[in-house]
Structures are given as structure tokens and as C-alpha cells.
């Protein structure tokens, strides 16, 4: 499995990103994220089925879009990521400890006050 970022010119709106994404609904493409705002497409694919040149051809199929460059996106298998459910004081303590160790953190706290609730109320 490989992941490449393709830089694309010719997109004029979000609809262009949707059109490019649909053009990549082909065998071997396992994941795709096309962004009008970033003028790119990040595509994961099985290199035994399809290659980067063929993906470029699918992107440029309409002649409206042009790939100006592409590069392989390398994933760091040793990179750690912590997901914390809740945004109370314990979540902040865990975030600080994780960041001190170089760990990326995502905190999920749906609709609740960040920082938690006063112990007298909670």
C-alpha cells in the first residue's frame, strides 16, 4: 500500500474536488481525499493493481485538471497518537504528560465545557 499527494491545478470550486474524487473510483484505489482549498489529492492505493502514473491520468482525464507534481507520503510507524474522551481536568493532565513525551493528542469533548465542572457542582 502506498500513499501519494498529487498537486492539482484547474480546480475552481468544491464541485471540482468531488468530480476528481469520483474519477478515482477505480480498482486499486483504497482511500482518497481531494481538497479544493489545498489544491491536492491524497490517494492511497495498492501498487500491485494501479500506479501513480495511472492515477495521474485519471485525475487529468477531463483535461480541465492538471497534476503539477506528486510525491509519496511516508508514514511514521513509530509515531504515537492518544485519543482522550472528555475535556475535564484529568484530560488536560494527560494531554500535558503525553505532549511532553512527543505524543500527538486528540481530545473529544462533545458539547461540554472544556476544563470540566467544578467539584462542588459535578
Amino acid at each position: 500500500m502506498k500513499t501519494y499527494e498529487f498537486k492539482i491545478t484547474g480546480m475552481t470550486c468544491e464541485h471540482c474536488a468531488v468530480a476528481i474524487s469520483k474519477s478515482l473510483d477505480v480498482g486499486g484505489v483504497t482511500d482518497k481525499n481531494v481538497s479544493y482549498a489545498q489544491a491536492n489529492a491524497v490517494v492511497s492505493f495498492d501498487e500491485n493493481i494501479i500506479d501513480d502514473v495511472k492515477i495521474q491520468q485519471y485525475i487529468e482525464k477531463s483535461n480541465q485538471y492538471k497534476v503539477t507534481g506528486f510525491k509519496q507520503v511516508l508514514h511514521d510507524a513509530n509515531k504515537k497518537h492518544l485519543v482522550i474522551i472528555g475535556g475535564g481536568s484529568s484530560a488536560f493532565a494527560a494531554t500535558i504528560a503525553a505532549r511532553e513525551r512527543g505524543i500527538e493528542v486528540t481530545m473529544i469533548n462533545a458539547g461540554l465545557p472544556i476544563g470540566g465542572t467544578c467539584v462542588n457542582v459535578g
Side-chain angles (χ1 to χ4, degrees):
M1 191 71 58
K2 289 187 177 181
T3 301
Y4 275 67
E5 176 189 14
F6 295 83
K7 289 294 189 181
I8 304 170
T9 60
M11 286 194 281
T12 58
C13 64
E14 287 296 330
H15 177 74
C16 294
V18 171
I20 291 171
S21 183
K22 286 182 181 179
S23 74
L24 294 172
D25 287 337
V26 296
V29 173
T30 57
D31 191 33
K32 58 194 181 300
N33 183 9
V34 183
S35 172
Y36 161 67
Q38 295 180 14
N40 73 355
V42 178
V43 183
S44 297
F45 58 95
D46 182 341
E47 65 270 20
N48 295 316
I49 299 172
I50 193 168
D51 62 15
D52 50 353
V53 174
K54 193 67 173 169
I55 291 171
Q56 178 177 350
Q57 291 171 350
Y58 281 113
I59 292 170
E60 295 178 339
K61 186 168 62 173
S62 75
N63 292 325
Q64 178 179 349
Y65 314 114
K66 178 79 174 144
V67 173
T68 59
F70 57 88
K71 65 180 177 182
Q72 186 172 4
V73 178
L74 301 175
H75 299 284
D76 184 356
N78 295 321
K79 186 174 182 180
K80 294 178 175 54
H81 196 116
L82 174 65
V83 177
I84 299 173
I85 309 296
S89 58
S90 296
F92 279 92
T95 298
I96 291 167
R99 292 301 298 144
E100 287 173 348
R101 290 165 178 79
I103 300 171
E104 295 290 323
V105 177
T106 299
M107 188 184 300
I108 300 170
N109 191 52
L112 300 171
I114 295 289
T117 304
C118 170
V119 293
N120 295 324
V121 175

